[in-house]
Amino acid sequence: TSAAPLLRVEGLQVAYGHIEAVKGVDFELREGEITALVGANGAGKSTTLMALSGLVKPRAGRFLFEGQDLARLKPHERVSRGIVQVAEGRAMLTQLTVRENLELGAYSRPGRKASPGEMERIFELFPRLKERLNGYAGNLSGGEQQMLAIGRALMAKPRVLLLDEPSMGLAPIVVQEIFRTLVGINRTGLTILLVEQNVRQALRIASQAYVLETGRIVLQGPGRTLLDDPQVQAAYLGG
Ligand code: ATP
């Protein structure tokens, strides 16, 4: 499509002291699509996400969201604009119930409260969360915690949902379920940026994908095209 992207990343560079983690990265998110950023451990994927969320300060580059530069916005201001990162499973607030976690997700919004209908929409996506609504998040399985983390992020009314390795530490069958859910969420029109080391699964669902190696994008294209790419197969798909 020729529509302007929802978000453009231009010339992003991030360093930790003298370690250059991201060395000039450009990519874009098209509205309503799943975009994947894939690559090995240490390639700079998480650093790129943290820079977009405002958690690390870039050395250079800019983020244009609906044509506006995000540089001056604090992390919470970016969340208010709709750039919402799913918390990692481990960061889940285990001492709170499922309901309390979901309510916290709505807290970043101007009204600070969700309507009952919104929580119902989350339960349509994740019926098990409804069954466990008053249970402690700490008693959920790893997969259920990941679903709760996604549900909580959805309660913040994202325009762009950012996920950092939602498959990490989960059994293959649970990973499949999480990815199916992401496809379902995307079908409601939500734009998704997915960071993954699980290259095969991420490429399967991504409209556009970017392969990151030591801080640089080395390949890009539709997910399905990259799945068939001999270079990608040799480096990431074990064949
Ligand atoms: P992973 O899947 O392991 O998170 P990644 O592709 O997300 O990998 P990053 O975590 O962004 O990669 O790391 C990119 C580089 O920056 C690596 O060399 C890493 O060691 C380094 N790095 C990351 N965080 C820090 C930090 N807080 N201080 C110093 N170096 C860091």
Side-chain angles (χ1 to χ4, degrees):
T1 57
S2 58
L6 182 61
L7 195 145
R8 269 188 71 77
V9 179
E10 294 178 354
L12 179 67
Q13 293 179 36
V14 187
Y16 300 102
H18 64 276
I19 300 168
E20 293 178 53
V22 177
K23 302 172 186 168
V25 155
D26 301 272
F27 64 94
E28 58 184 45
L29 307 185
R30 296 191 201 141
E31 183 141 36
E33 291 192 357
I34 298 179
T35 302
L37 212 52
V38 299
N41 205 352
K45 306 181 299 298
S46 301
T47 300
T48 300
L49 266 198
M50 285 193 286
L52 176 52
S53 293
L55 301 173
V56 297
K57 195 171 148 56
R59 170 181 280 184
R62 47 184 207 159
F63 297 104
L64 296 172
F65 179 54
E66 300 181 305
Q68 262 197 328
D69 196 341
L70 295 177
R72 285 177 212 287
L73 298 185
K74 296 199 164 63
H76 70 92
E77 293 168 327
R78 298 183 197 206
V79 174
S80 302
R81 297 279 175 101
I83 297 169
V84 180
Q85 184 162 348
V86 173
E88 280 179 46
R90 279 185 302 267
M92 184 57 53
L93 297 166
T94 55
Q95 314 282 353
L96 297 180
T97 66
V98 168
R99 178 197 294 280
E100 289 164 341
N101 269 289
L102 290 174
E103 285 169 351
L104 268 184
Y107 199 73
S108 62
R109 290 160 34 181
R112 307 214 153 195
K113 262 186 121 82
S115 64
E118 283 177 61
M119 232 187 240
E120 281 305 321
R121 276 197 34 230
I122 306 289
F123 299 146
E124 280 167 25
L125 285 167
F126 308 111
R128 263 180 292 163
L129 293 185
K130 186 171 191 175
E131 291 163 23
R132 298 174 147 256
L133 194 56
N134 297 311
Y136 286 107
N139 292 334
L140 298 177
S141 70
E144 289 166 344
Q145 285 191 359
Q146 186 58 264
M147 290 174 187
L148 177 56
I150 294 170
R152 191 170 74 175
L154 292 177
M155 293 294 284
K157 284 251 169 95
R159 301 274 327 274
V160 182
L161 188 68
L162 313 177
L163 295 109
D164 194 357
E165 308 220 11
S167 75
M168 193 160 61
L170 299 177
I173 191 151
V174 182
V175 171
Q176 297 266 356
E177 204 181 336
I178 299 279
F179 276 78
R180 264 203 303 276
T181 307
L182 292 180
V183 169
I185 293 169
N186 171 248
R187 289 221 174 100
T188 70
L190 184 59
T191 307
I192 293 178
L193 176 58
L194 172 65
V195 158
E196 262 298 341
Q197 275 189 61
N198 190 331
V199 176
R200 187 185 305 276
Q201 295 285 353
L203 292 183
R204 273 191 186 142
I205 66 166
S207 302
Q208 282 296 315
Y210 297 83
V211 180
L212 209 55
E213 276 177 18
T214 55
R216 287 197 173 87
I217 287 166
V218 294
L219 274 173
Q220 66 186 74
R224 292 277 169 178
T225 306
L226 292 188
L227 263 185
D228 292 334
D229 184 288
Q231 212 181 321
V232 172
Q233 291 188 348
Y236 300 102
L237 304 175

